[in-house]
Amino acid sequence: MSERSNSRRGNYSMLMGFSVVGLLGFGALGVDISYLAASNAQAQAISDAASHAALLAYQNSDDRSTGARMAQGRAAARWVVDNNFVGDAPGEMQGLSFGVFNPHNGGFRDGGEPANAVRVRVGRVGMPTILAGIVGHGRWTCRRAAHPPPILAS
């Protein structure tokens, strides 16, 4: 009887060892998913702020030339994007377009005149993951776009 009880010694240690590896793996996955969600929220907030800044600069410009007003809007959006982080580095402005926002259907039409909205696309390509690199997912891409409701010039 004592020989049989000795053959079972350590079973719980092995079970705990395998369980800890699984728990740590799921914890690492949770950390990376949280980092991804936070980075997406940051990119969305930067996109919203940049589109708002671009539209205000465009509408409040004293210049009569549409091209010059658009250049001022682009500069304002670029400043917002360059001075805010997505994850652990500054965001990348991946596109900007002036257009017309239709409040009835929520649609945005690029290039419409007079421009009453701006769509800015912000993100980061090749963001490093924190722990998912262990299983071969070392980089991911984050992209967000926004166009606010129109701000009517007074």
Side-chain angles (χ1 to χ4, degrees), residues 27-113:
L29 181 64
V31 168
D32 281 333
I33 288 173
S34 297
Y35 183 62
L36 170 65
S39 297
N40 282 331
Q42 289 169 338
Q44 185 67 54
I46 294 167
S47 179
D48 291 341
S51 63
H52 192 81
L55 187 59
L56 285 175
Y58 174 82
Q59 289 185 338
N60 293 334
S61 174
D62 293 331
D63 206 320
R64 290 281 187 211
S65 164
T66 302
R69 292 169 62 194
M70 286 182 173
Q72 290 174 359
R74 281 188 182 85
R78 170 70 57 201
W79 186 90
V80 170
V81 172
D82 289 345
N83 287 289
N84 288 285
F85 279 43
V86 175
D88 60 351
E92 301 163 0
M93 189 161 73
Q94 298 172 342
L96 182 145
S97 56
F98 289 85
V100 176
F101 177 77
N102 184 340
H104 301 295
N105 65 9
F108 178 81
R109 185 169 42 96
D110 284 341
E113 285 293 328

Side-chain angles (χ1 to χ4, degrees), residues 126-145:
M127 286 186 66
T129 58
I130 297 171
L131 299 170
I134 296 170
V135 293
H137 298 286
R139 303 226 174 255
W140 53 272
T141 298
C142 169
R143 287 190 181 101
R144 289 290 177 254

